[in-house]
Amino acid sequence: MSTVGAFCVTLDKDQCINARMPGKCATCVEICPYGVYGLNEENEVVVQNYNACVGCRLCAEFCPENAIRINPAESELVSRFPWTLGTIEEIHHKALTGSYGLRGFGTMGPTPHFDTIVVVPSQLASPSPRDKYREECNMEVVIGEDTCEKPIRLLYPFIFPAMSYGALSREAKLALAIAAAKTGILTNTGEGGVVEEEPYYANGYEKPSRKKKRWEPGGYLAIQWSTGRWGVSADYVDAGDAVEVKIGQGAKPGMGGHLLGDKVTEDIARIRGIPVGSDALSPCRYYDVTEPGDIKKQVGFLRDISNYEKPILMKLGPSRPYDDVKAAALAGVDAISIDGLVGGTGCSPEVVTQGVGIPTIALIGPAVRALKDLGLHRKVKLFALGGMRNGLDAYKAMAMGADGVGFGSAAEIAMGCRGCMACHQGNCPYGITSQNPKMRERLDPEEIGQRLANFINASAEEVKILTMLSGHSDIKELSEEDLRALDVDTAAITGLKLVGYERPLPWWENGRGG
Amino acid sequence: MAHAASVLDAKGKDLRAASTELKSLLAKEPVVVKNASHLHGLCGGLKRGEITIDGDGGDYLGVVNSGALIKVTGNAGKYVADNMTSGKVIVEGDADYGAGQYCYGGEVVVKGNAGDFTATMNKGATIVIGGDVGDETATYMVGGDVVIVGDAGENLGNYLIRGNVYIGGDWVSLGHNCAVSEVGADDVQRLESLLKQHGATVNAKKFRKIAPLSDKPFYSH
């Protein structure tokens, strides 16, 4: 599972400026945070440690002469299965150090996902398609309409899920806030406290005085109430437009957040109330929830502290979706996010990220049934998270019954991430998951905020195209009838009609599983 | 109480009704709340004011307190003063499970005994227990001080990262990443003033101190 040795780094000496004029260019040496390149005694650039390459490809992008090639050592990785190069390196690492592997970003390798589901368009025998170019499509999602004095009105059915300050840089957090403001969606503090500018940036204001909006239409910020309770105070609960109670996350359900000491700078230590350089390992459960009724009491006092104005959200990991969602809804929240196996992380034990939890497509059906059984479907809003890549994934999740989706890893990629899976080391060369000032200065919140907003706008357009070609003018009209499973496995997992067969598989016909 | 106080009878009221009334009364003068043991999370997030809970309190009393003085004349429920950042909570009787968890600052005083997981994840508050505490006291504490006049149960100071635990009695077992450490003159002086302030007539010199071993007990390089 390790990425060690997974990439071949080659330097074309005919192209390299440094090879022709030693000392003239060392961009790759300068830019690589992993020490892949070095200078020899003659001041020539050499590939000194190709094993350290994580495949982020920043060096290749910045090389002025296009002299660098980064190729995955794929044949090696695949041919010796199950003893791939990654597995061999993983065993060597344990044998040498006695400790298990940690990883950032998320799950590697194939898991059941949305790709084996297709959208059914409208033709003659169904409501006519709507005209994407000349007709309207409502994509608004309202959270807490009947329960809160200040409900949240998302312009698009999207949220940025919780990613903490600590896991992410200050600049990345602000870019997310700016993007939420520019697109009218919801961003989330994550569990690492709030960055000072985040609340007013998310609402569209550049200054705390909140006089004139800089970024229209203005979005929302959820503050997260979590098991480590990092940086939580009455002012913190007051700072956002919603409060999210975190129970778990897709990448490491059953465990709390991990922030390794390397990323705990003075500022992060100050906000979290921990010593500089110590690990912030959140408890796996709330120390202040010890019996079933306690979580409802917590939702109750969070409503009270926020003066009954703000929606209360809850985030669940992928475990037993029917029972978990039912329990969450009965605790009295306004929206539930359920995160799938491939959900992202800043740091997690590899075995947990890789092998623990249920894939996203298998969560949505039971979650929707739980809400329907309580008569709360579409009242308590459901957001599907974990591996959402575009408007197509979002459409499919919504047709399965979710009210919206979260873009976490996709948002990081929109910020520049190449998925090198080394977030936990804190050296992110794009400044997204690094606390190193040298990396952070590479990320301009405004520029990257615009990239994120572009991604959200484009994905919203995709949802609009698909909603309208399947004969709807409102995302709330989407249903399972708008989807088909391409193979028996997917039909079995989701209960969707199988293409060709045009019915759900037999065991779904009488009483749908839980 | 010496000075004037309004009285709020919470009997039959839900959290919203009681809390709204409490906040409006507090704007003028101290408030005495009666019959509040069914309310969980009362006095949440208050920034000022003086409240006396006459009788027993419910769970999560004074959660996220950030400046109020809260007194309980009877016993407190579970998780009293949860996640307090400043202010003071005084319990005349006993406190149930998890008193003073997740606190960043302020002071929690329990004159009687406290339950398991007291002061867990304390990050900076001073927590004084006049009697005994249960198991797992000060688990994953990151800062602040805990003073236990009586005895402690199992796993005292488990995975302590920062801060100190002072204990006058005995304990069943110590947790990981902590050890008995020397009590300095500064410690004795602080203890004496704290104990005196809370009317405990015990000799501060007899206390032992439990201190953390490492900032990084899990992932070292």
Side-chain angles (χ1 to χ4, degrees):
Chain A
M1 291 191 284
S2 152
T3 56
V4 175
F7 298 94
C8 301
V9 182
T10 43
L11 198 58
D12 184 344
K13 292 279 179 187
D14 292 340
Q15 305 251 27
C16 175
I17 296 179
N18 183 287
R20 284 178 273 136
M21 294 176 279
K24 274 292 174 204
C25 172
T27 307
C28 50
V29 181
E30 171 71 13
I31 216 160
C32 174
Y34 301 102
V36 172
Y37 306 94
L39 293 170
N40 66 12
E41 282 163 5
E42 276 80 50
N43 234 1
E44 292 167 344
V45 172
V46 288
V47 180
Q48 62 180 15
N49 185 9
Y50 71 88
N51 264 344
C53 176
V54 297
C56 76
R57 294 182 170 80
L58 190 70
C59 54
E61 252 169 73
F62 275 77
C63 176
E65 291 296 307
N66 203 17
I68 297 170
R69 296 281 175 279
I70 312 285
N71 294 313
E74 239 172 278
S75 55
E76 270 294 282
L77 281 169
V78 175
S79 64
R80 297 182 196 170
F81 182 85
W83 308 108
T84 59
L85 212 53
T87 304
I88 291 167
E89 284 297 336
E90 181 199 339
I91 294 172
H92 283 176
H93 169 80
K94 284 176 207 162
L96 278 169
T97 63
S99 53
Y100 52 82
L102 294 168
R103 186 205 296 162
F105 202 62
T107 314
M108 282 189 197
T111 55
H113 208 42
F114 291 94
D115 304 85
T116 46
I117 298 171
V118 285
V119 176
V120 181
S122 283
Q123 291 296 290
L124 261 186
S126 45
S128 302
R130 318 290 299 174
D131 188 333
K132 187 257 171 188
Y133 299 104
R134 282 158 287 267
E135 291 174 63
E136 295 299 313
C137 177
N138 180 30
M139 289 195 274
E140 192 185 65
V141 177
V142 187
I143 306 172
E145 194 161 26
D146 304 324
T147 46
C148 310
E149 283 165 28
K150 291 182 181 168
I152 285 181
R153 294 178 184 280
L154 303 177
L155 279 190
Y156 300 138
F158 303 145
I159 57 173
F160 291 130
M163 295 181 274
S164 75
Y165 172 45
L168 262 54
S169 65
R170 173 176 282 267
E171 291 71 17
K173 290 301 293 171
L174 297 182
L176 286 164
I178 292 171
K182 285 185 166 183
T183 55
I185 66 166
L186 175 72
T187 186
N188 192 310
T189 60
E191 67 164 336
V194 63
V195 175
E196 283 79 355
E197 298 92 334
E198 228 176 333
Y200 51 88
Y201 270 34
N203 294 157
Y205 301 95
E206 196 183 11
K207 303 255 160 60
S209 56
R210 294 170 179 261
K211 281 199 185 113
K212 193 172 172 292
K213 261 193 194 165
R214 163 88 190 277
W215 301 293
E216 293 286 356
Y220 303 92
L221 175 70
I223 66 99
Q224 199 179 54
W225 173 270
S226 177
T227 58
R229 221 58 74 64
W230 310 115
V232 174
S233 63
D235 286 339
Y236 172 81
V237 176
D238 232 23
D241 308 295
V243 180
E244 179 175 84
V245 178
K246 181 194 174 182
I247 305 297
Q249 72 182 92
K252 44 181 185 291
M255 294 188 92
H258 285 51
L259 182 67
L260 297 190
D262 296 345
K263 291 171 85 169
V264 180
T265 59
E266 245 169 64
D267 195 44
I268 287 160
R270 174 183 61 83
I271 290 183
R272 294 199 180 209
I274 56 175
V276 175
S278 76
D279 301 326
L281 300 169
S282 301
C284 66
R285 59 174 193 275
Y286 287 91
Y287 282 120
D288 53 1
V289 173
T290 52
E291 55 184 299
D294 283 352
I295 202 75
K296 191 173 183 175
K297 293 175 193 168
Q298 290 219 359
V299 172
F301 70 64
L302 287 171
R303 280 202 194 281
D304 187 62
I305 295 168
S306 55
N307 289 321
Y308 303 89
E309 288 176 346
K310 300 168 187 178
I312 310 291
L313 326 174
M314 190 172 279
K315 179 175 176 178
L316 296 167
S319 169
R320 293 175 180 82
Y322 182 86
D323 295 332
D324 287 338
V325 167
K326 208 166 191 180
L330 289 172
V333 297
D334 302 303
I336 298 165
S337 294
I338 187 153
D339 194 6
L341 168 67
V342 292
T345 176
C347 174
S348 163
E350 282 190 321
V351 288
V352 181
T353 303
Q354 198 59 30
V356 179
I358 310 294
T360 311
I361 60 162
L363 295 172
I364 302 170
V368 170
R369 283 198 294 287
L371 292 175
K372 281 185 174 163
D373 288 353
L374 292 171
L376 294 172
H377 187 227
R378 303 275 179 231
K379 286 181 186 142
V380 171
K381 297 295 186 282
L382 180 72
F383 289 87
L385 325 176
M388 295 293 167
R389 297 161 295 186
N390 48 34
L392 181 58
D393 286 350
Y395 175 97
K396 291 172 186 174
M398 291 192 288
M400 288 166 85
D403 295 279
V405 303
F407 289 118
S409 301
E412 288 185 308
I413 294 167
M415 285 194 263
C417 160
R418 262 59 169 184
C420 74
M421 306 207 148
C423 321
H424 61 300
Q425 295 179 11
N427 288 321
C428 175
Y430 298 89
I432 303 162
T433 61
S434 178
Q435 303 305 334
N436 179 341
K438 192 176 148 190
M439 308 300 159
R440 282 172 47 199
E441 71 180 19
R442 297 174 183 174
L443 197 162
D444 171 28
E446 285 225 34
E447 180 200 334
I448 298 302
Q450 186 57 50
R451 279 180 65 116
L452 277 163
N454 291 345
F455 168 71
I456 291 297
N457 286 329
S459 302
E461 283 300 306
E462 289 176 335
V463 169
K464 189 175 166 188
I465 292 171
L466 297 166
T467 303
M468 299 185 85
L469 67 76
S470 54
H472 307 293
S473 52
D474 190 324
I475 51 169
K476 286 189 277 295
E477 296 166 7
L478 305 182
S479 75
E480 286 182 326
E481 182 46 39
D482 298 311
L483 301 176
R484 292 291 182 275
L486 282 179
D487 57 30
V488 174
D489 285 358
T490 309
I493 292 169
T494 59
L496 291 172
K497 289 179 180 175
L498 179 65
V499 280
Y501 186 59
E502 284 302 292
R503 278 168 289 164
L505 294 181
W507 68 71
W508 286 93
E509 306 238 290
N510 302 314
R512 314 197 43 175
Chain B
M1 293 177 106
H3 40 289
S6 344
V7 176
L8 162 62
D9 190 346
K11 194 173 180 183
K13 292 187 172 117
D14 66 8
L15 181 64
R16 185 170 190 168
S19 180
T20 309
E21 199 178 332
L22 175 65
K23 282 172 194 167
S24 86
L25 292 172
L26 266 184
K28 285 169 267 165
E29 56 191 358
V31 180
V32 175
V33 187
K34 291 176 183 293
N35 301 312
S37 63
H38 66 291
L39 298 175
H40 308 297
L42 191 64
C43 308
L46 294 178
K47 295 188 174 160
R48 60 192 70 81
E50 231 181 283
I51 305 101
T52 303
I53 307 293
D54 187 5
D56 296 342
D59 298 341
Y60 304 102
L61 179 68
V63 60
V64 209
N65 183 21
S66 54
L69 167 63
I70 303 166
K71 276 174 104 171
V72 185
T73 65
N75 301 322
K78 293 185 290 183
Y79 332 112
V80 65
D82 192 0
N83 206 145
M84 175 165 71
T85 49
S86 65
K88 194 165 176 175
V89 176
I90 302 170
V91 180
E92 294 291 334
D94 298 333
D96 202 338
Y97 186 103
Q101 288 186 340
Y102 295 110
C103 287
Y104 279 82
E107 212 176 311
V108 186
V109 180
V110 177
K111 301 212 169 160
N113 302 323
D116 296 342
F117 283 88
T118 297
T120 299
M121 283 202 86
N122 179 24
K123 292 162 185 138
T126 301
I127 297 169
V128 183
I129 311 295
D132 302 334
V133 291
D135 299 337
E136 300 279 351
T137 298
T139 287
Y140 196 2
M141 184 162 96
V142 198
D145 293 310
V146 178
V147 180
I148 304 155
V149 176
D151 300 333
E154 290 178 11
N155 258 346
L156 175 63
N158 196 26
Y159 287 107
L160 197 60
I161 300 291
R162 287 279 174 98
N164 302 302
V165 178
Y166 300 97
I167 176 159
D170 287 323
W171 55 84
V172 177
S173 62
L174 281 189
H176 300 270
N177 202 49
C178 65
V180 180
S181 135
E182 210 169 300
V183 182
D186 289 2
D187 294 320
V188 173
Q189 210 177 358
R190 274 208 62 212
L191 270 172
E192 271 171 353
S193 103
L194 270 171
L195 293 166
K196 196 174 152 196
Q197 201 182 323
H198 301 298
T201 53
V202 282
N203 184 356
K205 293 196 178 75
K206 284 191 177 162
F207 276 70
R208 285 175 289 174
K209 175 168 142 182
I210 317 291
L213 295 175
S214 160
D215 269 2
K216 278 171 73 76
F218 296 104
Y219 294 110
S220 52
H221 290 287

